[in-house]
Amino acid sequence: MILAMIVAGFVLLKLSGYLSEIPLPDAAPGSQSSKLYDSQGQLIYTFHGTENRTIVPLDEISTDLKQAVVAAEDRAFHTHPGVSLKGIVRAAFSNVKEGDIGQGASTITQQYARTFATVGKERTFARKLREATMAVKIERVYSKDKILEFYLNTVYFGRGAYGAEAAAQTYFKKPAKDLNLPESAYLAGIIRSPSRYQIENNPTGVAAIRNRVLASMQEAGFITPAQRQAAEQVDMGSVFKLSRISAELETPRAGYFIEYVRKLLLREFKIEEKDLLGGGLKIHTTLDLRMQDAAEKAVRSTLDREDDPEVGLLAMDSQGQVKAMVGGRNVDDPKRARGFNFAANLPGDDGGRQAGSAFKPIALAAFVDDGKSIKSSFPGPAKISIDSDLCLNEGKPWEVSNFDNAGYGNLDITQATTKSVNTIYAQMMDKVVTPKMFIAMSEKLGIPIPAVDEGCALTLGTTAVTPMEMARAYATFAARGKRPDPLLVLKITSPEGETIIEKRPRSEQTISQNIADTVSWILKQNIVAGTGTAAKIQWPAMGKTGTAQDHQDASFVGSTPELTTAVWMGFPPDPVTKEIPLMRDVRGKRVTGGSFPATIWKQFMAESLKLYDKHSDFPSPKIAGEVIAPAPPPCPKTIPGDLNESPAADGQSAVGEDGKVLDNCRKPAAFPSPTPSQLCGEFPFPECTTGQTGDGDPSMPNARPGELPRPCPFLRCATPEPTESPPSQEGERNPNRGAGQLGEPCFPLCSNEQVDSDPPDD
């Protein structure tokens, strides 16, 4: 305490020396707009306040507000000489104890001096001395009432409102002279932190700060206990008649990005709203307006009907720098930007939708990380029931089916991924990956999994996730295992050019390079000949489709080594029932990740990647690890036209890749073919019997020309004239397959698809 008294005495001594040096201000400083720039230095947006700073005399400000401000900010206002000796001692003691200039001790006069005059904002003893000196000078020239009038006409109340009159109109649509007790107590309480006590985001805090001021007013003798009690009973939510915050969007360009950054500056960077609206800040961001324009064009040209679903798009480079953001389909409506952002959430906000099979690469990465080879293979029946304790669903077996109930044979991991086979990924979760391993890998990729979602169904994308989170995960794969931190704001400078905040890209190696390379390589095959062919572009790219159950959500997420983009599509919940409409008929289509989302992704990437001088490819991985259920032998290239007249008396034969008859297919008795129902539960191809019974084998009544004995029971019925077939959507069976072509087999022991299961050597 003695030390604090010494400090206070030193302050008072210094004041006398400053009195002759600090002149009184003669005008209030004009506010300066803050500007938002993209990564190329192009102006994106200007934040500015509508400072309808209507100056009113003190007698046109309600007595309740004057008393509330004095009680809340400076109870000794009418007796001190501009500075509070008790406050100086208290602040000095606190600052000496803490070792810095943290405690304020500012009177109303000092606050006015700081707000009205240019005394600086740095926390130093010199600044506090200048402020206190000016306060003493102001007190010598002006009366207390005049000083209070000055203060109440200049203090910032939030929402762009400077002064009591503007605040009364902004919050309550009435003049300052008509403010009542609870309204006045609220306004006085928010002076120190206006953005913290807004009804939209902190209704509990609104009542609490009002009641705190009411208590101070009673202690100061301004109101009675009965008045306090009556004011505390008022529901503030029914009192507000709020005007719009003044930083309204004047242009639809990058509206969702602007609003996201605005909230980020206020919440995460702790920028005061008054400084954002009038502090002259220069905010440099990672956005590239050229890419942003390409994103908005891709969305607008693909989904331009009023009844189309919503969309979210987010693009980031390999360092996590966000280059484009579209948070909703109607990019020309700036009011939408202040609503829900389907592309990204701020930390702590709820949101996100299911990613569907776009989540499967997480299980794939965990599978490889566990030492398993992508040459492993699993059967892919149309449906599967898993009753292991690990995967029980509310105590019942986990029932999994493929898209459109399509059945597949034995497929290796590459094929299972490019065909997006749910039943194979379900087996991978049950036998190898486990939910615990999946969650650990997901967190390494930057996607936290809620505790309620800790089941085997994770691999099918049942967790709510945003395009920003998905883009970050795939960017980790593209960056060879380096997980980037999402970055939107690079630098904030003052009007004088001083750096206030500076951020640099940050990445962390969270998975090995080879795991990331393996996933990228397989997903590259998916765009070449899998469910993602609609997203094929002229440069090397990888990606994965995702379609949630019943077509509720659809996604496409993909990368080049330079840029990663995630696109989501879906209807918002019904505001009344909270149910989410399904996308079973959008412009006559069932929406999948390979439809509209892939189209938007392709249009955006094709345009944005033109901005890069060089385009690299993904490195080939090293295939290693334990092989589970080795893959079957290769399929023959042709089917003999007249198997009925085969010279082989002991069975059927087929021609192999070398053109020679496969002798190991001549012994049906020793190697009987399994029936179609044994292999995949259904056989959706035309019957074509020969009248023979498989050489007396009772398991093969009406044997078909394509039913050959092991180890090659993969041939199906074929007609002499092959039929061309268009590519199918995600997991969707082509009805023409099987009519004169080898195509995708129902029989599980081999595959004829043009998916490269072996990466080239580096």
Side-chain angles (χ1 to χ4, degrees), residues 403-404 406-408 415 417-421 525-536 544-545 547 551 556 589-596 598 724-737 741 743-745 753 755:
F403 185 87
D404 262 6
Y408 301 90
Q415 295 166 325
T417 305
T418 60
K419 298 176 189 298
S420 202
V421 183
Q525 306 303 308
N526 188 50
I527 287 183
V528 172
T531 62
T533 54
K536 188 180 297 184
K544 183 70 184 74
T545 52
T547 307
H551 304 272
F556 189 88
K589 296 181 180 180
R590 293 181 304 169
V591 177
T592 65
S595 60
F596 297 106
E724 292 294 332
S725 304
S728 62
Q729 295 186 18
E730 177 177 357
E732 194 169 1
R733 180 183 300 114
N734 187 330
N736 292 325
R737 281 185 177 169
Q741 60 180 27
E744 175 185 319
E753 292 293 327
V755 176

Side-chain angles (χ1 to χ4, degrees), residues 187-199:
L187 289 178
I190 68 173
I191 289 175
R192 297 188 186 186
S193 184
S195 61
R196 182 178 178 183
Y197 298 106
Q198 295 297 318
I199 191 68

Side-chain angles (χ1 to χ4, degrees), residues 67-82:
Q67 291 177 343
V69 169
V70 170
E73 292 297 312
D74 185 7
R75 202 176 298 178
F77 171 70
H78 290 287
T79 60
H80 63 61

Side-chain angles (χ1 to χ4, degrees), residues 175 215 293 310-311 315 318 323-324 349 361 367 393 412 414 427 461 464 484 584 599 633 707 734-735 751:
D293 290 344
E310 282 291 353
V311 67
S318 59
K323 295 298 180 182
D349 285 352
F367 184 85
N393 182 16
D412 64 28
T414 302
Q427 294 172 74
R584 290 176 174 170
T599 298
E707 263 186 1
N734 187 330
S751 173

Side-chain angles (χ1 to χ4, degrees), residues 1-278:
M1 181 59 73
I2 295 176
L3 181 58
M5 293 293 292
I6 294 174
V7 173
F10 173 77
V11 171
L12 293 176
L13 181 63
K14 281 291 185 181
L15 281 177
S16 60
Y18 272 84
L19 282 173
S20 60
E21 300 176 9
I22 304 295
L24 278 174
D26 55 6
S31 63
Q32 299 183 57
S33 298
S34 296
K35 297 183 183 298
L36 198 69
Y37 297 94
D38 82 340
S39 59
Q40 306 299 310
Q42 296 296 310
L43 179 65
I44 303 173
Y45 182 69
T46 299
F47 292 104
H48 58 83
T50 57
E51 292 181 25
N52 52 340
R53 193 195 298 267
T54 305
I55 305 298
V56 295
L58 193 63
D59 59 4
E60 290 188 20
I61 298 175
S62 75
T63 299
D64 285 335
L65 181 59
K66 290 182 283 190
Q67 291 177 343
V69 169
V70 170
E73 292 297 312
D74 185 7
R75 202 176 298 178
F77 171 70
H78 290 287
T79 60
H80 63 61
V83 294
S84 170
L85 298 183
K86 289 183 179 179
I88 290 175
V89 172
R90 183 173 62 252
F93 178 76
S94 175
N95 294 333
V96 168
K97 182 179 179 180
E98 299 296 330
D100 66 356
I101 306 302
Q103 184 71 29
S106 294
T107 65
I108 283 178
T109 313
Q110 285 176 270
Q111 290 183 51
Y112 170 67
R114 182 193 314 146
T115 303
F116 189 73
T118 309
V119 296
K121 293 184 179 181
E122 71 280 8
R123 280 189 166 184
T124 65
F125 279 113
R127 195 272 290 174
K128 296 296 291 185
L129 283 173
R130 292 196 302 271
E131 179 185 296
T133 302
M134 186 171 292
V136 172
K137 274 198 162 188
I138 291 171
E139 290 272 353
R140 289 183 174 184
V141 175
Y142 299 106
S143 68
K144 288 290 186 178
D145 282 352
K146 198 63 178 177
I147 294 170
L148 186 58
E149 179 181 304
F150 288 159
Y151 179 80
L152 289 175
N153 276 298
T154 56
V155 69
Y156 182 66
F157 288 93
R159 305 183 80 90
Y162 287 80
E165 182 69 16
Q169 295 290 349
T170 297
Y171 285 92
F172 306 112
K173 289 290 193 296
K174 61 172 61 173
K177 65 180 180 179
D178 294 337
L179 291 170
N180 60 32
L181 180 56
E183 294 166 348
S184 297
Y186 168 75
L187 289 178
I190 68 173
I191 289 175
R192 297 188 186 186
S193 184
S195 61
R196 182 178 178 183
Y197 298 106
Q198 295 297 318
I199 191 68
E200 301 99 322
N201 53 32
N202 189 8
T204 303
V206 166
I209 196 65
R210 177 203 61 189
N211 294 345
R212 189 182 306 169
V213 175
L214 290 171
S216 295
M217 293 180 73
Q218 181 186 334
E219 292 173 4
F222 291 133
I223 61 174
T224 66
Q227 289 175 308
R228 171 186 174 183
Q229 184 177 8
E232 287 177 343
Q233 298 304 312
V234 175
D235 177 16
M236 294 301 294
S238 64
V239 175
F240 287 114
K241 297 179 181 178
L242 298 172
S243 296
R244 295 180 297 176
I245 297 177
S246 57
E248 288 294 341
L249 302 179
E250 297 174 350
T251 169
R253 196 181 192 194
Y256 288 96
F257 181 85
I258 294 168
E259 176 61 9
Y260 188 93
V261 169
R262 186 187 74 86
K263 292 179 179 178
L264 190 69
L265 293 171
L266 296 176
R267 292 194 198 180
E268 302 297 314
F269 290 86
K270 307 301 180 185
I271 300 295
E272 293 282 346
E273 187 183 34
K274 62 181 179 181
D275 292 329
L276 179 60
L277 298 181

Side-chain angles (χ1 to χ4, degrees), residues 397-449:
W398 182 31
E399 305 289 342
V400 183
S401 60
N402 293 327
F403 185 87
D404 262 6
N405 289 319
Y408 301 90
N410 261 32
L411 301 177
D412 64 28
I413 302 304
T414 302
Q415 295 166 325
T417 305
T418 60
K419 298 176 189 298
S420 202
V421 183
N422 294 339
T423 55
I424 289 182
Y425 267 83
Q427 294 172 74
M428 290 166 61
M429 284 292 288
D430 178 42
K431 300 178 184 301
V432 179
V433 175
T434 77
K436 184 177 180 180
M437 292 169 57
F438 185 98
I439 291 171
M441 178 56 67
S442 181
E443 291 179 348
K444 290 179 181 179
L445 297 171
I447 302 178
I449 302 293

